């Protein structure tokens, strides 16, 4: 059995949000009473217009922000009461593709991709091996020594995806991962996420393009002005 | 239940690569000043102990050169009978000549000069010696005699030396505080340059200790390197002072045996280590304070 199947059999949710709210100032709630759960091995989309709260939702899931209200549970662990070291341990299980890539311009593509492995304390030889294999898989092997400033937006996107995948996370969160590429490349990128998903990683993709998300037979959450309006289940 | 990712190695994060080397001269200056100050502090302490040992139980009486031998003998007899005085010794002319040699030189025939005779007195330490009473009795026998109680002079020297040692300690503390401030400023600048990477590594699951460690290592290496340079400069300065001739020769008058005194090297090494530790602590505190703002 895959690790995702094992966790699903044990009734474990990778993500569970219960009545979660997020506000940065009193009376201005970005997210309102959001409840959802992701099962191990799921592949889901979050859709919604700009400002609907998709990015804020993803920030709560990758522990870049803490919820103002409600309960955020990751890997069956309530995040609110966790120590800083405990939150860091959870973050190491999550891969994130940021909307603005967050590549470090002063270090090479390979070094950028290697960062999660360095954080995990992986031996140097293993880092080199994994990074080289992943860059080759994503067609980035020729750019491995290039600085991110010299890359196109599409290549930066792929580097950001490589960095999110390199440590084989249990949960992959991608914020508008197809926002900087043409339709054909966007489809290819989703195929990459699907392959990773088949290896057991739970995947959640946020996109404002509801039409694009509807091409795939996957569960879709729709956010509207910070509220979860609908959930469309996959047909299979 | 959290499944902790097994960490096979200590993370080596590409942080603190652009730390300014401006902390180096600060560290060197701090150790140079602290080293010289520390040596001065120890030397003064040694001197005080040496003065105590040689002068605390001593007094001297100057007899005018024209005093008759009979008067001199009367005075000696009085001193030997005085309770609390353990030993009375009349210095012979050659000893007196040696004492005045620094002022008059060797070529002067001292026997032709009206140099007073000196009587060295050793007090027994019981506290019975009543110098006021003795002074009164001496006045009737030898009105021009001068009784010097070294204990009083010593107390004055003690007060002055203690004030100087206090000032040296304050300067050393200020030097280390300046090093602390400088190390913190260097770490703040480095952190500012690495801010995007620090925030990213935090999101990737790096712990505070993982992120702080490269800054600490860099601060420690800069502190030790700068400190070693300052210690070397201080050692060279002390060597130069020691070989600059009697006018600047510090070891003999201040009671330190010279550069082979282990305490000098302990002070220089200790100052270097303190600057290294201060720099490391400042870097760690600066990074952790910044990380405390992140969730």
């Amino acid at each position: 059995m895959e690790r995702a199947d094992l966790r699903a059999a044990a009734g474990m949710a990778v993500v569970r949000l219960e009545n979660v709210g997020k506000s940065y100032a009193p009376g201005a709630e970005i997210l309102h009473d959001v409840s959802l759960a992701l099962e191990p091995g799921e592949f889901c989309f979050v859709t919604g217009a700009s400002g609907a709260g998709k990015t804020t939702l993803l920030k709560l899931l990758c522990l870049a922000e803490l919820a103002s209200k409600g309960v955020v549970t990751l890997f069956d662990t309530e995040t609110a009461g966790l120590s800083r070291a405990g939150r860091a341990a959870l973050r190491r299980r999550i891969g994130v593709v940021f909307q603005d890539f967050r590549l470090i311009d002063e270090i090479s593509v390979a070094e950028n991709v290697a960062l999660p492995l360095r954080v995990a304390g992986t031996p140097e030889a293993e880092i080199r091996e994994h990074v080289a294999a992943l860059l080759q898989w994503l067609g980035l092997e020729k750019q491995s020594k290039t600085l991110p400033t010299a890359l196109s937006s599409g290549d930066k996107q792929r580097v950001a995806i490589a960095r999110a995948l390199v440590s084989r996370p249990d949960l992959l969160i991608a914020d508008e991962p197809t926002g900087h590429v043409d339709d054909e490349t966007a489809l290819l990128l989703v195929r990459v996420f699907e392959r990773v998903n088949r290896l057991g990683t739970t995947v959640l993709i946020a996109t404002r393009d509801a039409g694009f998300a509807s091409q795939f037979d996957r569960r879709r959450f729709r956010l509207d002005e910070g509220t979860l309006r609908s959930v469309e289940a996959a047909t299979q | 239940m959290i499944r902790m990712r097994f960490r096979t190695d200590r993370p080596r994060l590409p942080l603190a690569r652009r730390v300014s080397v401006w902390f180096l001269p600060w560290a060197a200056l701090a150790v140079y000043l602290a080293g010289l100050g520390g040596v001065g502090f120890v030397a003064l302490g040694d001197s005080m102990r040496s003065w105590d040992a040689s002068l605390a139980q001593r007094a001297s009486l100057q007899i005018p050169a024209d005093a008759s031998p009979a008067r001199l003998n009367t005075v000696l007899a009085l001193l030997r009978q005085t309770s609390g005085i353990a030993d009375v010794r009349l210095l012979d002319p050659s000893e007196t000549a040696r004492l005045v040699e620094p002022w008059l030189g060797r070529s002067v025939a001292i026997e032709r000069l009206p140099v007073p005779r000196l009587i060295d007195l050793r007090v027994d330490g019981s506290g019975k010696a009543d110098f006021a009473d003795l002074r009164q009795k001496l006045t009737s026998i030898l009105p021009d005699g001068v009784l010097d109680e070294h204990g009083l002079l010593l107390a004055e020297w003690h007060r002055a030396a203690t004030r100087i040692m206090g000032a040296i300690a304050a300067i050393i503390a200020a030097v280390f505080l300046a090093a602390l401030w400088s190390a913190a400023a260097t770490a703040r600048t480095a952190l500012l340059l690495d801010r995007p990477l620090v925030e990213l590594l935090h999101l990737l699951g790096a712990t505070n200790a993982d992120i702080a460690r490269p800054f600490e290592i860099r601060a420690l290496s800069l502190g030790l390197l700068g400190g070693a340079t300052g210690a070397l400069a201080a050692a060279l300065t002390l060597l130069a002072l020691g070989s600059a001739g009697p006018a600047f020769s510090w070891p003999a008058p201040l009671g330190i045996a010279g550069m082979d005194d282990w305490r000098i090297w302990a002070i220089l090494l200790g100052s270097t280590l303190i600057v290294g530790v201060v720099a490391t602590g400042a870097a760690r505190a600066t990074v952790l304070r910044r990380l405390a703002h992140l969730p």
Side-chain angles (χ1 to χ4, degrees), chain A residues 140-155:
Chain A
L140 286 165
E141 68 271 27
K142 284 182 185 163
Q143 286 100 323
S144 67
K145 289 179 182 167
T146 310
L147 293 179
T149 44
L151 297 178
S152 66
S153 292
D155 283 348

Side-chain angles (χ1 to χ4, degrees), chain B residues 77-161:
Chain B
L78 170 66
L79 292 172
R80 283 173 183 137
Q81 286 163 14
T82 304
S83 67
I85 292 179
D87 188 41
V88 176
R89 193 170 69 86
L90 177 66
L91 270 63
D92 63 39
S94 64
E95 281 180 283
T96 311
R98 272 202 303 278
L99 288 174
V100 296
E101 197 179 279
W103 288 274
L104 302 180
R106 285 183 182 176
S107 56
V108 175
I110 197 165
E111 61 278 4
R112 292 183 195 166
L113 295 173
V115 176
R117 301 295 303 274
L118 281 175
I119 298 174
D120 184 34
L121 306 175
R122 189 167 60 79
V123 183
D124 64 8
S126 64
K128 287 181 187 167
D130 184 348
F131 281 99
D133 181 56
L134 177 63
R135 195 169 276 121
Q136 211 167 19
K137 287 176 182 166
L138 284 171
T139 309
S140 60
I141 305 167
L142 199 70
D144 295 332
V146 179
L147 180 64
D148 282 329
E149 247 185 281
H150 297 324
L152 292 175
L153 181 63
L154 202 56
E156 281 294 316
W157 288 358
H158 259 286
R159 275 193 289 277

